[in-house]
Amino acid sequence: METLIIDGKKISQDIKDELKAEVEDLKKKGIEPGLAVILVGNNPASKVYVSNKKKACEYIGIRSFSYELPEETSEEELLKLIKDLNQTKEVHGILVQLPLPKHIDENKILLSIDPSKDVDCFHPYNVGMISIGELNGFLPCTPAGIIELIKRSQIEIEGKKCVVVGRSNIVGKPVANLLLRNNGTVTICHSRTKNLKEICKEADILVAAIGKANFITADMVKDGAVLIDVGINRLENGKLCGDIDFENCKDKAMAITPVPGGVGPMTIAMLMKNCVKAAIM
Ligand code: GUN
């Protein structure tokens, strides 16, 4: 059978269109979802992400409040801004783009966001809720986007052997949690894992979130596996590529996400979903 190339661009567009309709209805009831987006410093990648998040808000009809602060902003100033936004009624979601400049303690900042406005789902309260199986709160954006890609491709997670390569707080750990919540049997691998190849080769669903170009090669993949690539790596020739060697793995896979156009566009769509949720919670 031909490999399914999972179209994240199309699926994320579907989600944004569903949200746009939902927001139109909410506005008729006098509810206008609002998102505060905070960027500190001049990280070029962060600037692109933040601009895309604001564009998505505009498309869906979410009001965005933009705070672009200089690199020298102190931790106290940032904490003060978040404290104000926590108390601003029109702001339902608060997003602090990471990474922050080195002189600011990231954990302290994430802890200061009111958990009911934590649309990134980075606050330990929300991380904890995910881990005890609470289904009603925010879902972490990239991991939830991955689950959505799998489900909207009519792929079953229940009972499947799921292998996550990578253990970051933003992707590896939370996606493992969501797969578990969907009744997958989950193994998390990382840089110290022994027999990585053998473990990957057993995966029905393999999620690669390592940050190394073409790290997952065809000899690590089981025939008929579902391959989810979270990596975004820039090659010397300027091209983007994922953590999975797409060209050599795709014929073995039952389904695979491309880079770009796979998991990437889903993160913002799921962020928007959390913003709408925040406004009605
Ligand atoms: N930096 C990299 N990914 C993310 C994300 O999903 N949210 C925020 N706020 N910063 C990030």
Side-chain angles (χ1 to χ4, degrees), residues 63-278:
R63 185 171 172 197
S64 72
F65 302 80
S66 181
Y67 299 88
E68 304 204 352
L69 309 176
E71 182 81 22
E72 322 72 78
T73 303
S74 70
E75 192 175 278
E76 289 68 33
E77 286 170 303
L78 185 54
L79 287 168
K80 167 81 173 63
L81 171 61
I82 293 169
K83 194 174 172 199
D84 290 345
L85 293 171
N86 279 341
Q87 285 158 2
T88 304
K89 256 194 7 258
E90 293 75 20
V91 171
H92 302 96
I94 301 172
L95 179 142
V96 180
Q97 187 63 34
L98 303 179
L100 287 167
K102 286 201 173 55
H103 64 275
I104 298 178
D105 181 345
E106 210 159 272
N107 279 332
K108 203 165 165 184
I109 297 302
L110 295 180
L111 264 171
S112 77
I113 297 172
D114 182 334
S116 72
K117 297 192 177 189
D118 171 36
V119 285
D120 259 326
C121 199
F122 288 165
H123 190 289
Y125 174 85
N126 288 318
V127 175
M129 288 308 247
I130 296 301
S131 113
I132 61 171
E134 171 61 62
L135 293 155
N136 301 321
F138 297 124
L139 295 175
C141 303
T142 302
I146 291 169
I147 301 294
E148 204 67 25
L149 281 181
I150 296 173
K151 288 189 174 170
R152 290 191 187 223
S153 303
Q154 273 74 50
I155 295 164
E156 186 81 50
I157 297 171
E158 181 157 324
K160 296 282 174 65
K161 199 150 195 187
C162 305
V163 174
V164 176
V165 191
R167 55 174 157 178
S168 69
N169 289 337
I170 293 188
V171 184
K173 279 186 261 184
V175 80
N177 247 325
L178 293 190
L179 288 164
L180 181 61
R181 249 179 43 172
N182 282 277
N183 300 319
T185 302
V186 184
T187 304
I188 305 177
C189 300
H190 47 79
S191 53
R192 309 285 172 85
T193 297
K194 289 181 181 148
N195 306 322
L196 180 69
K197 177 177 154 183
E198 286 69 27
I199 297 170
C200 289
K201 223 177 149 66
E202 290 193 354
D204 302 312
I205 299 174
L206 180 65
V207 179
I210 313 133
K212 287 188 182 156
N214 299 321
F215 183 85
I216 303 290
T217 47
D219 59 330
M220 300 166 81
V221 170
K222 177 162 96 173
D223 279 322
V226 174
L227 304 179
I228 306 291
D229 195 342
V230 191
I232 305 177
N233 309 290
R234 177 102 35 206
L235 296 173
E236 274 178 22
N237 63 14
K239 272 192 164 177
L240 285 183
C241 84
D243 291 350
I244 298 176
D245 178 359
F246 183 88
E247 277 314 313
N248 293 307
C249 292
K250 75 173 193 303
D251 293 334
K252 271 185 119 174
M254 187 254 274
I256 186 168
T257 64
V259 176
V263 173
M266 294 299 290
T267 300
I268 292 184
M270 301 316 282
L271 172 71
M272 297 296 114
K273 204 170 170 131
N274 279 343
C275 292
V276 174
K277 193 182 256 183

